[in-house]
Amino acid sequence: MVGGGGLDLLCNGVKIHHVDVPHKDQNRLEMRDLLAWVQSNLIKERPEMFIKEDSVRPGVLVLVNDCDWELCGGLGAELEEKDVVVFISTLHGG
Amino acid sequence: MKFHKTLHYEALPFENPLSLDRRCYQNLAQETRFFQPRASCPLPSSALPTREAISSPPREDTSDHWSGHLHQYAAHLTIINCCTISMEEGEGSTASKRGGGRLCFICNQRRPALKRPKTQEQICRECFYVVFEEEIHRVIMDNHLFKPGERIAVAASGGKDSTVLAYVLSELNRRHSYGLDLFLLSVDEGITGYRDDSLETVKRNEIQYGLPLKVVSYKDLYGWTMDEIVSVIGLKNNCTFCGVFRRQALDRGAALLKADKLVTGHNADDIAETVLLNILRGDIARLSRCTFIVTGEDGPIPRCKPFKYTYEKEINKYAYFKKLDYFSTECTYSPNAYRGFAREFIKDLERIRPQAILDIIRSGEDFRISTTTRMPEQGTCERCGYISSQKLCKACVLLEGLNRGLLKLGISRANGSRRHDVGHPKPEAKRPIIQNKPCGTLDF
């Protein structure tokens, strides 16, 4: 998992995370599960910069295997082993 | 059981657009269903003839409005013949699980990687590069932004917008032979941990894109770094100082480069945000100015915004997919909270209706200002000669406040009467102090 565009600053400056996300349902892991997991396990400060209500804050781009998550099903996008999820924030100047 | 549409591609039967006569249209109307713009097509898909327009034969007397387009753009169109519907057994490939199994709207060959906010078309990465770049080329051509032989300074902060701008401009300059001399121009505000790092990025860009770089610093121009300013005034209003100084610094840097124009990476989101902010502030003069694609044409160095219609979202994806080297850290001094709200509001709107961004810009463009509104007259600053609607430009007022320890000078409107005082300095008391740290004269 990669956090770019300043989002790395919310996770102690670490850009790339290799994560093993535990999921209840043996076979399915959706983006919404990943977001919840990231929020409680990786984000160290200012979670409001990443999450708004039950999704990412508008202005944060999400790519699953380099494909916009809007095309993969958004929150319901199903994740598999070795998938690469990228978050890029656009919510600051410059 | 699933139905799959197989599309047959055919090269355009007539490479010479002039051979597209009326009879050809009628043949086309019978044989083909619709036109698919090729990746190189400079037209938005909305300007292309619809399926209905194509299947109804053109009238005898006049040429249809779309036939003009066809003449002009025939070289960019691929004609897609009648669809053959075939049946395939079972589930689609793995592609259908992610991205719904669709193919790129433009090339119909690769899997889409994103949905365009403007058109909702799902397109692949390669086609995205082409439409993204060509759209900016269109904006440049339609607005006559550049003339051959001009020296263009690209305001480069090291952030994603200016990095993509420098990259795309140097590409387009080469591809379409604009004949421009491009330069990178950076401002060193003197912010440790922010600007020093982003300047490193710009220095790498200088080498990567082969564009000469000029850095102008607040310290040299004004005698103060932002770090020093913040140590005096604290974290309130510091963005006012920075913003006012940067504006002038870019003009001065461009003058040093002998540039004919300054281009900035302001994107559609930024402009929509500024329209909103100017409405919220009741700033009518800026409201009418902020949507112009070229500003300051009467001034020494015109500025233009080739990304005026480009979504920030797409700039970001472009930078990411192209793996451009850019810097993305928030300024270490507190961000402008008021602007932050406007920004977030725009992003919230975009999520519900992406078109909102372009519509806000259009609202700003079409604003009519009542004739009874008094507009400030533009003059020049008595002290440094920079354009100003007051006797002294904002930078000189702010600088005077810093140098004299009157930190509120020029900050709030409540101090308007005091600002008036500044306009008439008592020569014996004020001149020497100002001369210690002059904000310089413009070298135009």
Side-chain angles (χ1 to χ4, degrees), chain B residues 208-265:
Chain B
Q208 289 155 353
Y209 312 146
L211 304 177
L213 165 69
K214 168 88 191 155
V215 181
V216 288
S217 75
Y218 282 9
K219 186 74 181 172
D220 293 346
L221 289 177
Y222 309 110
W224 292 78
T225 65
M226 266 321 279
D227 287 342
E228 288 165 354
I229 293 175
V230 170
S231 71
V232 175
I233 65 161
L235 288 172
K236 225 179 154 197
N237 300 320
N238 54 319
C239 297
T240 305
F241 282 85
C242 200
V244 170
F245 286 167
R246 183 179 311 104
R247 202 184 154 73
Q248 281 204 10
L250 283 172
D251 276 350
R252 284 159 197 242
L256 290 173
L257 282 169
K258 299 196 167 45
D260 298 298
K261 260 169 211 148
L262 180 68
V263 293
T264 58

Short mmCIF file of all heavy atoms in Angstrom, two decimals, chain B residues 208-265:
data_model
loop_
_atom_site.label_atom_id
_atom_site.label_comp_id
_atom_site.label_asym_id
_atom_site.label_seq_id
_atom_site.Cartn_x
_atom_site.Cartn_y
_atom_site.Cartn_z
N GLN B 208 16.02 16.97 -15.61
CA GLN B 208 15.16 15.99 -16.28
C GLN B 208 14.54 16.55 -17.56
O GLN B 208 14.43 15.86 -18.56
CB GLN B 208 14.04 15.54 -15.33
CG GLN B 208 14.55 14.65 -14.19
CD GLN B 208 13.65 14.71 -12.96
OE1 GLN B 208 12.71 15.50 -12.88
NE2 GLN B 208 13.93 13.85 -11.99
N TYR B 209 14.08 17.79 -17.52
CA TYR B 209 13.38 18.35 -18.68
C TYR B 209 14.27 19.27 -19.50
O TYR B 209 13.83 19.82 -20.50
CB TYR B 209 12.12 19.12 -18.24
CG TYR B 209 11.24 18.35 -17.27
CD1 TYR B 209 10.54 19.00 -16.27
CD2 TYR B 209 11.13 16.97 -17.37
CE1 TYR B 209 9.74 18.29 -15.38
CE2 TYR B 209 10.35 16.25 -16.48
CZ TYR B 209 9.68 16.92 -15.48
OH TYR B 209 8.91 16.23 -14.60
N GLY B 210 15.52 19.46 -19.05
CA GLY B 210 16.43 20.31 -19.79
C GLY B 210 15.98 21.75 -19.89
O GLY B 210 16.16 22.41 -20.92
N LEU B 211 15.34 22.27 -18.82
CA LEU B 211 14.89 23.66 -18.84
C LEU B 211 15.73 24.46 -17.85
O LEU B 211 15.86 24.06 -16.69
CB LEU B 211 13.41 23.76 -18.43
CG LEU B 211 12.41 22.92 -19.23
CD1 LEU B 211 11.01 23.07 -18.65
CD2 LEU B 211 12.43 23.35 -20.68
N PRO B 212 16.30 25.59 -18.28
CA PRO B 212 17.11 26.39 -17.36
C PRO B 212 16.28 26.91 -16.19
O PRO B 212 15.11 27.26 -16.36
CB PRO B 212 17.59 27.56 -18.22
CG PRO B 212 17.24 27.24 -19.62
CD PRO B 212 16.20 26.19 -19.61
N LEU B 213 16.88 26.94 -15.01
CA LEU B 213 16.15 27.32 -13.79
C LEU B 213 16.69 28.62 -13.22
O LEU B 213 17.89 28.85 -13.19
CB LEU B 213 16.30 26.21 -12.75
CG LEU B 213 15.92 26.53 -11.30
CD1 LEU B 213 14.41 26.73 -11.17
CD2 LEU B 213 16.37 25.42 -10.36
N LYS B 214 15.77 29.47 -12.77
CA LYS B 214 16.16 30.70 -12.08
C LYS B 214 15.44 30.70 -10.73
O LYS B 214 14.23 30.46 -10.67
CB LYS B 214 15.72 31.91 -12.93
CG LYS B 214 15.80 33.24 -12.23
CD LYS B 214 17.18 33.85 -12.40
CE LYS B 214 17.36 35.04 -11.48
NZ LYS B 214 18.78 35.28 -11.18
N VAL B 215 16.19 30.93 -9.67
CA VAL B 215 15.57 30.99 -8.34
C VAL B 215 15.71 32.42 -7.82
O VAL B 215 16.79 32.98 -7.84
CB VAL B 215 16.25 30.02 -7.36
CG1 VAL B 215 15.57 30.08 -5.99
CG2 VAL B 215 16.21 28.59 -7.89
N VAL B 216 14.60 33.01 -7.38
CA VAL B 216 14.67 34.32 -6.72
C VAL B 216 14.24 34.12 -5.27
O VAL B 216 13.32 33.36 -5.00
CB VAL B 216 13.77 35.38 -7.40
CG1 VAL B 216 14.35 35.81 -8.72
CG2 VAL B 216 12.36 34.88 -7.58
N SER B 217 14.91 34.78 -4.35
CA SER B 217 14.58 34.54 -2.95
C SER B 217 14.02 35.79 -2.28
O SER B 217 14.36 36.92 -2.65
CB SER B 217 15.81 34.05 -2.20
OG SER B 217 16.69 35.12 -1.96
N TYR B 218 13.16 35.56 -1.31
CA TYR B 218 12.61 36.66 -0.51
C TYR B 218 13.74 37.42 0.18
O TYR B 218 13.70 38.62 0.31
CB TYR B 218 11.66 36.12 0.58
CG TYR B 218 10.28 35.73 0.10
CD1 TYR B 218 9.97 35.68 -1.25
CD2 TYR B 218 9.27 35.41 1.01
CE1 TYR B 218 8.71 35.32 -1.67
CE2 TYR B 218 8.01 35.06 0.60
CZ TYR B 218 7.73 35.00 -0.74
OH TYR B 218 6.47 34.64 -1.15
N LYS B 219 14.74 36.67 0.61
CA LYS B 219 15.85 37.29 1.33
C LYS B 219 16.52 38.34 0.46
O LYS B 219 16.78 39.46 0.88
CB LYS B 219 16.84 36.20 1.75
CG LYS B 219 17.96 36.69 2.63
CD LYS B 219 17.49 36.97 4.04
CE LYS B 219 18.62 37.50 4.92
NZ LYS B 219 18.11 37.96 6.23
N ASP B 220 16.78 37.96 -0.80
CA ASP B 220 17.44 38.91 -1.71
C ASP B 220 16.52 40.07 -2.07
O ASP B 220 16.95 41.21 -2.14
CB ASP B 220 17.86 38.20 -3.01
CG ASP B 220 18.96 37.18 -2.75
OD1 ASP B 220 19.55 37.23 -1.65
OD2 ASP B 220 19.20 36.34 -3.64
N LEU B 221 15.24 39.75 -2.32
CA LEU B 221 14.34 40.80 -2.81
C LEU B 221 13.88 41.73 -1.70
O LEU B 221 13.75 42.93 -1.90
CB LEU B 221 13.10 40.17 -3.46
CG LEU B 221 13.30 39.48 -4.81
CD1 LEU B 221 11.98 38.86 -5.25
CD2 LEU B 221 13.77 40.48 -5.86
N TYR B 222 13.60 41.16 -0.53
CA TYR B 222 12.96 41.95 0.52
C TYR B 222 13.80 42.07 1.79
O TYR B 222 13.45 42.80 2.70
CB TYR B 222 11.60 41.33 0.89
CG TYR B 222 10.71 41.07 -0.31
CD1 TYR B 222 10.44 39.77 -0.72
CD2 TYR B 222 10.15 42.13 -1.02
CE1 TYR B 222 9.63 39.54 -1.82
CE2 TYR B 222 9.34 41.89 -2.11
CZ TYR B 222 9.09 40.60 -2.51
OH TYR B 222 8.28 40.36 -3.59
N GLY B 223 14.85 41.28 1.88
CA GLY B 223 15.67 41.33 3.07
C GLY B 223 15.15 40.45 4.20
O GLY B 223 15.70 40.45 5.30
N TRP B 224 14.06 39.72 3.95
CA TRP B 224 13.47 38.87 4.99
C TRP B 224 13.20 37.49 4.41
O TRP B 224 12.70 37.38 3.29
CB TRP B 224 12.11 39.42 5.44
CG TRP B 224 12.14 40.71 6.20
CD1 TRP B 224 12.31 41.96 5.67
CD2 TRP B 224 11.97 40.88 7.61
NE1 TRP B 224 12.24 42.90 6.66
CE2 TRP B 224 12.03 42.27 7.87
CE3 TRP B 224 11.76 39.99 8.67
CZ2 TRP B 224 11.89 42.78 9.16
CZ3 TRP B 224 11.62 40.51 9.95
CH2 TRP B 224 11.69 41.89 10.19
N THR B 225 13.46 36.44 5.16
CA THR B 225 12.97 35.12 4.78
C THR B 225 11.63 34.92 5.47
O THR B 225 11.32 35.63 6.43
CB THR B 225 13.92 33.98 5.23
OG1 THR B 225 13.91 33.97 6.68
CG2 THR B 225 15.33 34.19 4.75
N MET B 226 10.84 33.95 4.99
CA MET B 226 9.57 33.69 5.67
C MET B 226 9.82 33.23 7.10
O MET B 226 9.06 33.57 8.01
CB MET B 226 8.74 32.64 4.92
CG MET B 226 7.72 33.18 3.93
SD MET B 226 6.83 34.66 4.42
CE MET B 226 5.57 34.00 5.47
N ASP B 227 10.86 32.46 7.32
CA ASP B 227 11.18 32.02 8.68
C ASP B 227 11.37 33.23 9.60
O ASP B 227 10.87 33.27 10.71
CB ASP B 227 12.45 31.14 8.69
CG ASP B 227 12.19 29.75 8.11
OD1 ASP B 227 11.01 29.36 8.04
OD2 ASP B 227 13.16 29.07 7.74
N GLU B 228 12.10 34.23 9.09
CA GLU B 228 12.32 35.44 9.90
C GLU B 228 11.02 36.20 10.12
O GLU B 228 10.76 36.71 11.21
CB GLU B 228 13.35 36.35 9.20
CG GLU B 228 14.78 35.81 9.25
CD GLU B 228 15.72 36.51 8.28
OE1 GLU B 228 15.25 37.35 7.49
OE2 GLU B 228 16.92 36.20 8.32
N ILE B 229 10.19 36.26 9.05
CA ILE B 229 8.92 36.97 9.18
C ILE B 229 8.04 36.30 10.24
O ILE B 229 7.48 36.95 11.11
CB ILE B 229 8.19 37.05 7.82
CG1 ILE B 229 8.99 37.93 6.85
CG2 ILE B 229 6.77 37.59 7.98
CD1 ILE B 229 8.45 37.98 5.44
N VAL B 230 7.98 34.96 10.16
CA VAL B 230 7.14 34.24 11.12
C VAL B 230 7.67 34.42 12.55
O VAL B 230 6.89 34.55 13.50
CB VAL B 230 7.04 32.74 10.75
CG1 VAL B 230 6.39 31.94 11.86
CG2 VAL B 230 6.23 32.58 9.47
N SER B 231 8.98 34.49 12.69
CA SER B 231 9.52 34.66 14.05
C SER B 231 9.12 36.02 14.62
O SER B 231 9.08 36.19 15.83
CB SER B 231 11.05 34.50 14.05
OG SER B 231 11.64 35.62 13.42
N VAL B 232 8.81 36.97 13.75
CA VAL B 232 8.38 38.28 14.23
C VAL B 232 6.86 38.37 14.37
O VAL B 232 6.35 38.83 15.39
CB VAL B 232 8.88 39.39 13.27
CG1 VAL B 232 8.33 40.75 13.69
CG2 VAL B 232 10.39 39.42 13.25
N ILE B 233 6.14 37.90 13.35
CA ILE B 233 4.68 38.12 13.37
C ILE B 233 3.90 36.91 13.86
O ILE B 233 2.70 37.01 14.10
CB ILE B 233 4.14 38.52 11.98
CG1 ILE B 233 4.34 37.37 10.97
CG2 ILE B 233 4.80 39.78 11.47
CD1 ILE B 233 3.44 37.52 9.78
N GLY B 234 4.55 35.77 14.02
CA GLY B 234 3.83 34.58 14.46
C GLY B 234 3.09 33.92 13.30
O GLY B 234 3.32 34.26 12.14
N LEU B 235 2.20 33.00 13.63
CA LEU B 235 1.55 32.19 12.59
C LEU B 235 0.23 32.77 12.11
O LEU B 235 -0.54 32.11 11.44
CB LEU B 235 1.36 30.76 13.09
CG LEU B 235 2.66 29.95 13.17
CD1 LEU B 235 2.42 28.62 13.85
CD2 LEU B 235 3.25 29.74 11.78
N LYS B 236 -0.02 34.02 12.50
CA LYS B 236 -1.24 34.65 12.01
C LYS B 236 -0.88 35.58 10.87
O LYS B 236 0.09 36.33 10.99
CB LYS B 236 -1.90 35.44 13.15
CG LYS B 236 -3.40 35.20 13.22
CD LYS B 236 -4.04 35.95 14.35
CE LYS B 236 -5.50 36.19 14.01
NZ LYS B 236 -6.08 37.22 14.84
N ASN B 237 -1.63 35.52 9.80
CA ASN B 237 -1.42 36.41 8.65
C ASN B 237 -0.13 36.15 7.88
O ASN B 237 0.18 36.87 6.94
CB ASN B 237 -1.41 37.90 9.07
CG ASN B 237 -2.71 38.30 9.70
OD1 ASN B 237 -3.77 37.88 9.25
ND2 ASN B 237 -2.64 39.07 10.76
N ASN B 238 0.63 35.14 8.28
CA ASN B 238 1.89 34.92 7.57
C ASN B 238 1.65 34.59 6.11
O ASN B 238 2.46 34.93 5.26
CB ASN B 238 2.72 33.84 8.26
CG ASN B 238 1.94 32.56 8.45
OD1 ASN B 238 0.77 32.61 8.80
ND2 ASN B 238 2.55 31.44 8.21
N CYS B 239 0.50 33.93 5.82
CA CYS B 239 0.22 33.58 4.42
C CYS B 239 -0.04 34.83 3.58
O CYS B 239 0.18 34.81 2.37
CB CYS B 239 -0.96 32.62 4.33
SG CYS B 239 -0.63 31.06 5.14
N THR B 240 -0.52 35.90 4.23
CA THR B 240 -0.73 37.15 3.50
C THR B 240 0.61 37.67 3.00
O THR B 240 0.76 38.03 1.83
CB THR B 240 -1.38 38.21 4.42
OG1 THR B 240 -2.55 37.65 4.97
CG2 THR B 240 -1.70 39.47 3.64
N PHE B 241 1.58 37.70 3.91
CA PHE B 241 2.91 38.16 3.52
C PHE B 241 3.45 37.31 2.38
O PHE B 241 3.91 37.81 1.36
CB PHE B 241 3.87 38.06 4.72
CG PHE B 241 3.70 39.18 5.70
CD1 PHE B 241 2.74 39.12 6.69
CD2 PHE B 241 4.51 40.29 5.62
CE1 PHE B 241 2.58 40.15 7.59
CE2 PHE B 241 4.36 41.33 6.52
CZ PHE B 241 3.39 41.26 7.52
N CYS B 242 3.36 36.00 2.59
CA CYS B 242 3.95 35.09 1.64
C CYS B 242 3.31 35.25 0.26
O CYS B 242 4.00 35.31 -0.76
CB CYS B 242 3.77 33.67 2.16
SG CYS B 242 4.90 32.51 1.42
N GLY B 243 1.98 35.35 0.26
CA GLY B 243 1.25 35.45 -1.01
C GLY B 243 1.58 36.73 -1.76
O GLY B 243 1.84 36.71 -2.96
N VAL B 244 1.57 37.84 -1.02
CA VAL B 244 1.84 39.14 -1.65
C VAL B 244 3.27 39.18 -2.19
O VAL B 244 3.53 39.61 -3.31
CB VAL B 244 1.60 40.28 -0.64
CG1 VAL B 244 2.10 41.61 -1.20
CG2 VAL B 244 0.13 40.39 -0.29
N PHE B 245 4.20 38.69 -1.37
CA PHE B 245 5.60 38.71 -1.79
C PHE B 245 5.83 37.77 -2.98
O PHE B 245 6.61 38.08 -3.88
CB PHE B 245 6.52 38.32 -0.63
CG PHE B 245 6.65 39.40 0.42
CD1 PHE B 245 7.22 39.13 1.66
CD2 PHE B 245 6.21 40.69 0.16
CE1 PHE B 245 7.35 40.13 2.62
CE2 PHE B 245 6.33 41.69 1.12
CZ PHE B 245 6.89 41.41 2.36
N ARG B 246 5.17 36.64 -2.97
CA ARG B 246 5.42 35.68 -4.04
C ARG B 246 5.00 36.25 -5.39
O ARG B 246 5.66 36.11 -6.40
CB ARG B 246 4.72 34.35 -3.80
CG ARG B 246 5.06 33.34 -4.90
CD ARG B 246 4.45 31.99 -4.74
NE ARG B 246 4.61 31.45 -3.41
CZ ARG B 246 3.64 31.40 -2.52
NH1 ARG B 246 2.44 31.83 -2.82
NH2 ARG B 246 3.85 30.91 -1.32
N ARG B 247 3.84 36.90 -5.38
CA ARG B 247 3.31 37.47 -6.60
C ARG B 247 4.33 38.41 -7.26
O ARG B 247 4.62 38.31 -8.45
CB ARG B 247 2.03 38.25 -6.25
CG ARG B 247 1.17 38.42 -7.41
CD ARG B 247 -0.06 39.22 -7.22
NE ARG B 247 -0.35 39.76 -8.53
CZ ARG B 247 -0.83 39.04 -9.51
NH1 ARG B 247 -1.12 37.78 -9.32
NH2 ARG B 247 -1.01 39.56 -10.70
N GLN B 248 4.89 39.29 -6.42
CA GLN B 248 5.88 40.21 -6.97
C GLN B 248 7.17 39.50 -7.33
O GLN B 248 7.79 39.81 -8.34
CB GLN B 248 6.21 41.29 -5.93
CG GLN B 248 5.19 42.37 -5.87
CD GLN B 248 5.77 43.66 -5.31
OE1 GLN B 248 6.98 43.80 -5.14
NE2 GLN B 248 4.90 44.61 -5.05
N ALA B 249 7.54 38.56 -6.49
CA ALA B 249 8.81 37.86 -6.71
C ALA B 249 8.79 37.16 -8.08
O ALA B 249 9.78 37.17 -8.81
CB ALA B 249 9.07 36.85 -5.60
N LEU B 250 7.63 36.57 -8.42
CA LEU B 250 7.54 35.90 -9.71
C LEU B 250 7.69 36.90 -10.85
O LEU B 250 8.37 36.64 -11.84
CB LEU B 250 6.19 35.16 -9.83
CG LEU B 250 6.09 33.85 -9.06
CD1 LEU B 250 4.67 33.32 -9.09
CD2 LEU B 250 7.06 32.81 -9.64
N ASP B 251 7.06 38.06 -10.71
CA ASP B 251 7.19 39.08 -11.75
C ASP B 251 8.63 39.54 -11.89
O ASP B 251 9.13 39.73 -12.99
CB ASP B 251 6.30 40.30 -11.42
CG ASP B 251 4.87 40.08 -11.87
OD1 ASP B 251 4.64 39.09 -12.60
OD2 ASP B 251 3.99 40.87 -11.50
N ARG B 252 9.28 39.71 -10.74
CA ARG B 252 10.67 40.17 -10.80
C ARG B 252 11.58 39.12 -11.39
O ARG B 252 12.47 39.42 -12.18
CB ARG B 252 11.15 40.54 -9.40
CG ARG B 252 10.57 41.87 -8.99
CD ARG B 252 10.58 42.04 -7.51
NE ARG B 252 9.67 43.12 -7.17
CZ ARG B 252 10.05 44.24 -6.58
NH1 ARG B 252 11.29 44.40 -6.23
NH2 ARG B 252 9.17 45.18 -6.34
N GLY B 253 11.34 37.87 -11.01
CA GLY B 253 12.14 36.77 -11.56
C GLY B 253 11.93 36.68 -13.07
O GLY B 253 12.89 36.50 -13.83
N ALA B 254 10.67 36.82 -13.50
CA ALA B 254 10.38 36.75 -14.93
C ALA B 254 11.07 37.89 -15.67
O ALA B 254 11.57 37.71 -16.78
CB ALA B 254 8.87 36.80 -15.16
N ALA B 255 11.13 39.06 -15.02
CA ALA B 255 11.81 40.20 -15.64
C ALA B 255 13.30 39.90 -15.77
O ALA B 255 13.93 40.21 -16.79
CB ALA B 255 11.59 41.46 -14.81
N LEU B 256 13.87 39.27 -14.73
CA LEU B 256 15.29 38.93 -14.79
C LEU B 256 15.57 37.95 -15.93
O LEU B 256 16.62 37.99 -16.56
CB LEU B 256 15.74 38.33 -13.46
CG LEU B 256 15.82 39.30 -12.28
CD1 LEU B 256 16.11 38.56 -10.99
CD2 LEU B 256 16.89 40.37 -12.54
N LEU B 257 14.61 37.05 -16.16
CA LEU B 257 14.78 36.07 -17.24
C LEU B 257 14.47 36.70 -18.60
O LEU B 257 14.53 36.03 -19.62
CB LEU B 257 13.84 34.88 -17.01
CG LEU B 257 14.25 33.85 -15.96
CD1 LEU B 257 13.10 32.90 -15.69
CD2 LEU B 257 15.47 33.07 -16.44
N LYS B 258 14.04 37.96 -18.59
CA LYS B 258 13.57 38.64 -19.80
C LYS B 258 12.45 37.85 -20.47
O LYS B 258 12.40 37.72 -21.70
CB LYS B 258 14.72 38.87 -20.78
CG LYS B 258 15.83 39.74 -20.17
CD LYS B 258 16.75 40.28 -21.24
CE LYS B 258 17.66 41.38 -20.71
NZ LYS B 258 18.28 41.07 -19.39
N ALA B 259 11.57 37.31 -19.64
CA ALA B 259 10.48 36.47 -20.17
C ALA B 259 9.38 37.35 -20.74
O ALA B 259 9.14 38.46 -20.26
CB ALA B 259 9.93 35.59 -19.05
N ASP B 260 8.72 36.84 -21.78
CA ASP B 260 7.58 37.55 -22.35
C ASP B 260 6.31 37.22 -21.59
O ASP B 260 5.37 38.00 -21.58
CB ASP B 260 7.41 37.15 -23.82
CG ASP B 260 8.62 37.53 -24.65
OD1 ASP B 260 8.90 38.73 -24.73
OD2 ASP B 260 9.29 36.63 -25.18
N LYS B 261 6.27 36.03 -21.02
CA LYS B 261 5.08 35.60 -20.30
C LYS B 261 5.46 34.69 -19.15
O LYS B 261 6.49 34.02 -19.19
CB LYS B 261 4.15 34.82 -21.24
CG LYS B 261 3.01 35.66 -21.76
CD LYS B 261 2.27 34.98 -22.87
CE LYS B 261 1.70 36.03 -23.83
NZ LYS B 261 1.66 35.52 -25.18
N LEU B 262 4.56 34.67 -18.19
CA LEU B 262 4.73 33.78 -17.05
C LEU B 262 3.56 32.81 -17.07
O LEU B 262 2.41 33.23 -17.19
CB LEU B 262 4.71 34.63 -15.77
CG LEU B 262 4.88 33.92 -14.43
CD1 LEU B 262 6.29 33.38 -14.31
CD2 LEU B 262 4.61 34.89 -13.30
N VAL B 263 3.83 31.52 -17.02
CA VAL B 263 2.72 30.57 -16.94
C VAL B 263 2.70 29.94 -15.55
O VAL B 263 3.75 29.67 -14.96
CB VAL B 263 2.78 29.44 -18.01
CG1 VAL B 263 2.57 30.00 -19.38
CG2 VAL B 263 4.08 28.68 -17.93
N THR B 264 1.50 29.77 -15.03
CA THR B 264 1.37 29.17 -13.71
C THR B 264 0.51 27.92 -13.81
O THR B 264 -0.26 27.75 -14.74
CB THR B 264 0.71 30.15 -12.72
OG1 THR B 264 -0.57 30.53 -13.22
CG2 THR B 264 1.55 31.39 -12.51
N GLY B 265 0.66 27.06 -12.84
CA GLY B 265 -0.02 25.77 -12.86
C GLY B 265 -1.41 25.78 -12.24
O GLY B 265 -1.90 24.72 -11.86
#
